[in-house]
Amino acid sequence: MSEYHQIFDLGDFTTQHGATLRGAFLAYATYGELNADRSNAIVYPTWYSGRHWDNEWLIGPGMALDPAEYFIIVPNMLGNGLSSSPSNTLQPYDRARFPDITVYDQVAAQYRLVTEKFGIERLALVTGWSMGAGQTYQWAVSHPEMVERIAPFCGSARTSLHNKVFLEGVKAALTADSAFAGGWYGENWPTIGLRAMARVYAGWGFSQAFYWEQEYETLGYTSLEDFLIGFWEGFFLDGRDPNNLLSMLWTWQNGDVGRTPGFDGDTEAALASIKATALVLPAEKDLYFPPEDEAWAVSHIPNAELRVIPGIWGHFAGHGSNPEDTQFIDSALSDLLGKPGGLA
Amino acid sequence: MSEYHQIFDLGDFTTQHGATLRGAFLAYATYGELNADRSNAIVYPTWYSGRHWDNEWLIGPGMALDPAEYFIIVPNMLGNGLSSSPSNTLQPYDRARFPDITVYDQVAAQYRLVTEKFGIERLALVTGWSMGAGQTYQWAVSHPEMVERIAPFCGSARTSLHNKVFLEGVKAALTADSAFAGGWYGENWPTIGLRAMARVYAGWGFSQAFYWEQEYETLGYTSLEDFLIGFWEGFFLDGRDPNNLLSMLWTWQNGDVGRTPGFDGDTEAALASIKATALVLPAEKDLYFPPEDEAWAVSHIPNAELRVIPGIWGHFAGHGSNPEDTQFIDSALSDLLGKPGGLA
């Protein structure tokens, strides 16, 4: 795990909805070297509350994302606490006043990093887990001329209504704590709300069968309650600022490639515009990104394959904690990188 | 809908865990007439926060539960606000001090009603939805000599670990509201917590596909948010006392026929002891009582059939709101009542 990262200055960043973040910035990390013709770049965005180092499990020697072969850029999402976020933005756009950031905005910021900082014109691959998958789809829609391949795993091009409802529960639990104070809490964070949010999330992150099999024991947890406290409450108490969490949650709830300018809300048309070769990887028992939703997306993308990650880990198949799932995803990425890109 | 009900005095009711509720009582309603040889009685317990009138959709002329043919007893669960509950018990066992009630206790109380009040020795059928299904299983284990048939729908004999986690999220959302005050709120109920609980519940009660298809429109809701407020928040704000909700939630989380005295925690042995002819009806897309769990239960009951309720309504297939599901369940009950009972 490397906490080392670089900062790319976005200057005045105007969002899709018209706010301007002055002095905005992206925190990012890179792995490997950009080759001479700048043809080996991969973008691998972060997931809900994830930081760049949380993506490193899928990067390494001998893996599909091998830094000896590829130049892998991991941009931190706006809102995640490292890039511009409620927690690190000066007034008046600080904390509860941080503007709404769309997935389109996330990719617009990353596009500037990729083109202005590195002069990259083509991406060999965009890939990501969960909200990272949403950004992956968005890359292929926002910049079809740049993206050779996409591999979204455990995520969607448009956040489904059920997924929004799941997130409403998460949000309601966090904000029910009066210490949240409309986002104007001080140094005393609403930890009751964060712990409640963690318990709500726990049922969604892993499948019914994961719990039935007590698979959490393989992660070192000694009882169900130990898993709820040790993994889940610990997860959300680990420096995850509530306003940041709510900012990213808004981004997630409002994800839809159909809202890319030019598509007027037509998600199917946006999917149909994708030129990249796509390998779409939902997890068999993902409770908020179920495989049937991705089958729908694949049916609208010209050159796409659906490959379901089997097993009982549910959404967290894409978290890097289960070796079998990691191998499945890595192998899928190898297959995809061996195929012609969509711009060939 | 009939709010008319009778009261059965339980006197001093000692729970499985050793508390004694003094002056305890069951509220119940009956439909039809007990016949001369007392062979036509059906028990149909209530579900989580449900009241007897919420069961009436499955009772009627020409239906399997026809009051012209059967004597149908609907006992309200302890904790539901009509039978002895945190909200209607005098100190010192009132409110947050209401004792833990097991599913075993629920059936023990109902057994007294059925035998002492009505002199019934055999039940033609026990059936119920959700927690009502849990009580159905418990009847067959607590009193195998009495129960001819059982038809648990969308429920389980033992609350699964994942189901417990779902309920942890519900509980955490409700209690994150500081107005809950450890259960010692006065007239100002923790409505923020109740609304948060409702939003958490919303994602679980219906399936992903139900939301994808915007099926809530068939219930008269005009948008997703209208459904979340109009149906879900309205549901939990409709006189549902928070301590009552938590009492029933504890009962639910701790449901396990294996904890019936004599079985020492061995759920499979308890299921194997069932003499009733069983028709087990999980819903295809129930997110907290998935069909595979009930397939497991059926595999341990000597004379049981699994029949999955098809469709996208998820858990609420058993709520009586979708005519197709209602017809499926009613038809299944007719089939079961046409079969020989397990005590024949």
Side-chain angles (χ1 to χ4, degrees):
Chain A
M1 162 171 139
S2 161
E3 301 198 15
Y4 179 74
H5 63 263
Q6 315 249 11
I7 296 293
F8 176 74
D9 184 4
L10 291 164
D12 291 354
F13 182 77
T14 300
T15 69
Q16 191 176 7
H17 289 186
T20 295
L21 276 176
R22 294 164 181 89
F25 57 92
L26 276 189
Y28 67 97
T30 65
Y31 306 83
E33 304 293 332
L34 187 60
N35 62 12
D37 64 356
R38 295 172 174 148
S39 65
N40 71 334
I42 291 174
V43 172
Y44 179 15
T46 58
W47 40 271
Y48 183 65
S49 90
R51 288 74 56 111
H52 58 273
W53 61 80
D54 294 313
N55 277 6
E56 294 180 353
W57 58 274
L58 196 55
I59 302 170
M63 301 184 78
L65 305 193
D66 189 335
E69 188 169 357
Y70 292 104
F71 178 60
I72 302 145
I73 305 166
V74 179
N76 287 277
M77 258 199 292
L78 295 164
N80 86 336
L82 295 175
S83 293
S84 285
S85 299
S87 64
N88 63 19
T89 295
L90 298 177
Q91 61 86 356
Y93 274 117
D94 60 317
R95 303 193 280 168
R97 275 289 184 274
F98 194 74
D100 293 338
I101 305 289
T102 62
V103 182
Y104 175 84
D105 292 327
Q106 299 285 359
V107 169
Q110 293 167 22
Y111 174 81
R112 288 192 47 203
L113 166 68
V114 166
T115 56
E116 295 176 19
K117 171 73 184 175
F118 297 111
I120 293 167
E121 295 179 350
R122 292 250 173 128
L123 294 170
L125 173 70
V126 183
T127 188
W129 177 50
S130 196
M131 283 186 79
Q135 294 164 77
T136 296
Y137 278 114
Q138 187 64 55
W139 259 103
V141 171
S142 288
H143 301 289
E145 75 294 349
M146 271 186 77
V147 182
E148 294 278 14
R149 299 169 193 83
I150 58 170
F153 52 102
C154 311
S156 66
R158 179 181 68 194
T159 301
S160 74
L161 293 177
H162 177 266
N163 197 321
K164 288 184 192 185
V165 173
F166 143 58
L167 293 170
E168 277 301 302
V170 167
K171 182 171 73 177
L174 172 57
T175 59
D177 183 349
S178 60
F180 175 68
W184 301 111
Y185 52 88
E187 291 184 4
N188 293 318
W189 284 11
T191 54
I192 291 172
L194 285 164
R195 289 177 189 271
M197 171 184 189
R199 283 181 184 252
V200 174
Y201 223 113
W204 292 110
F206 296 91
S207 78
Q208 298 96 340
F210 176 94
Y211 285 100
W212 183 282
E213 300 292 343
Q214 303 180 38
E215 188 77 3
Y216 48 80
E217 292 177 356
T218 67
L219 294 172
Y221 297 96
T222 50
S223 66
L224 181 64
E225 186 65 13
D226 186 47
F227 184 56
L228 293 179
I229 297 172
F231 182 89
W232 282 105
E233 294 189 10
F235 184 95
F236 284 103
L237 291 170
D238 181 26
R240 288 175 160 87
D241 180 280
N243 282 320
N244 291 353
L245 290 169
L246 291 173
S247 171
M248 290 180 282
L249 191 148
W250 190 95
T251 304
W252 184 349
Q253 283 191 313
N254 291 277
D256 182 356
V257 294
R259 293 190 207 154
T260 306
F263 290 104
D264 195 27
D266 187 339
T267 309
E268 296 182 5
L271 290 169
S273 75
I274 292 177
K275 294 195 170 120
T277 305
L279 181 55
V280 175
L281 302 162
E284 180 185 354
K285 289 182 178 290
D286 193 322
L287 291 174
Y288 41 99
F289 293 108
E292 54 265 39
D293 295 7
E294 296 322 286
W296 170 83
V298 161
S299 76
H300 292 286
I301 302 174
N303 185 13
E305 176 192 340
L306 184 78
R307 197 181 293 186
V308 177
I309 306 167
I312 65 172
W313 277 60
H315 188 64
F316 271 64
H319 181 250
S321 301
N322 183 28
E324 285 178 33
D325 294 330
T326 297
Q327 193 177 347
F328 187 94
I329 295 164
D330 182 55
S331 171
L333 293 182
S334 284
D335 289 353
L336 178 61
L337 286 165
K339 288 185 180 182
L343 311 177
Chain B
M1 161 171 139
S2 160
E3 301 196 15
Y4 179 75
H5 62 262
Q6 315 248 11
I7 295 292
F8 177 73
D9 183 5
L10 291 165
D12 291 353
F13 182 75
T14 300
T15 69
Q16 192 175 7
H17 290 184
T20 295
L21 276 175
R22 294 167 180 87
F25 57 91
L26 275 189
Y28 67 96
T30 65
Y31 307 82
E33 304 293 333
L34 188 59
N35 61 12
D37 63 356
R38 295 173 175 149
S39 65
N40 70 335
I42 291 174
V43 173
Y44 179 16
T46 58
W47 40 271
Y48 183 65
S49 89
R51 286 75 55 111
H52 58 273
W53 61 79
D54 295 311
N55 278 5
E56 293 179 355
W57 58 274
L58 196 55
I59 301 169
M63 301 184 78
L65 304 193
D66 189 336
E69 188 168 358
Y70 292 104
F71 177 61
I72 302 146
I73 305 166
V74 179
N76 287 276
M77 257 198 293
L78 295 164
N80 88 334
L82 294 176
S83 292
S84 285
S85 299
S87 63
N88 61 21
T89 295
L90 298 177
Q91 61 87 357
Y93 275 117
D94 59 318
R95 301 192 282 167
R97 276 287 183 277
F98 194 74
D100 294 336
I101 305 288
T102 62
V103 182
Y104 174 84
D105 292 326
Q106 299 285 359
V107 170
Q110 293 166 22
Y111 174 81
R112 288 193 47 204
L113 167 67
V114 167
T115 57
E116 295 176 19
K117 172 73 184 174
F118 297 110
I120 294 167
E121 294 179 352
R122 292 250 174 129
L123 294 170
L125 173 70
V126 183
T127 189
W129 177 48
S130 196
M131 283 186 78
Q135 293 165 76
T136 296
Y137 278 114
Q138 186 65 54
W139 259 104
V141 171
S142 288
H143 302 290
E145 78 291 351
M146 272 187 77
V147 183
E148 294 276 13
R149 300 169 193 82
I150 58 170
F153 52 102
C154 311
S156 67
R158 179 182 67 195
T159 302
S160 74
L161 293 177
H162 177 266
N163 197 320
K164 289 184 191 185
V165 173
F166 143 57
L167 294 169
E168 277 301 302
V170 168
K171 182 171 71 177
L174 172 56
T175 59
D177 183 348
S178 60
F180 176 68
W184 301 110
Y185 53 87
E187 290 184 4
N188 292 318
W189 283 13
T191 55
I192 291 172
L194 285 165
R195 289 178 189 271
M197 171 184 189
R199 282 180 185 252
V200 173
Y201 224 113
W204 292 109
F206 297 91
S207 77
Q208 298 96 341
F210 175 93
Y211 286 100
W212 182 281
E213 301 292 343
Q214 303 181 37
E215 189 76 4
Y216 46 80
E217 292 176 356
T218 67
L219 294 172
Y221 297 97
T222 50
S223 66
L224 181 63
E225 187 64 13
D226 186 47
F227 184 56
L228 294 179
I229 297 172
F231 182 89
W232 281 106
E233 295 189 9
F235 184 95
F236 284 103
L237 290 170
D238 181 26
R240 288 176 160 88
D241 180 279
N243 282 321
N244 290 353
L245 290 169
L246 291 173
S247 170
M248 290 180 281
L249 191 147
W250 189 95
T251 304
W252 183 349
Q253 284 191 313
N254 291 277
D256 182 355
V257 293
R259 294 189 206 154
T260 306
F263 290 105
D264 195 28
D266 188 339
T267 309
E268 296 181 5
L271 290 169
S273 76
I274 292 176
K275 294 197 171 118
T277 305
L279 180 54
V280 175
L281 303 162
E284 179 185 356
K285 289 183 178 288
D286 193 321
L287 292 174
Y288 42 98
F289 292 109
E292 54 265 41
D293 295 8
E294 294 323 285
W296 169 84
V298 161
S299 75
H300 292 286
I301 301 173
N303 185 13
E305 176 192 341
L306 184 77
R307 196 180 294 186
V308 177
I309 306 167
I312 65 172
W313 277 59
H315 188 65
F316 271 63
H319 181 250
S321 301
N322 184 29
E324 285 179 34
D325 294 330
T326 297
Q327 192 176 348
F328 187 94
I329 295 165
D330 181 55
S331 172
L333 293 182
S334 285
D335 289 353
L336 178 60
L337 285 166
K339 288 185 180 181
L343 310 177

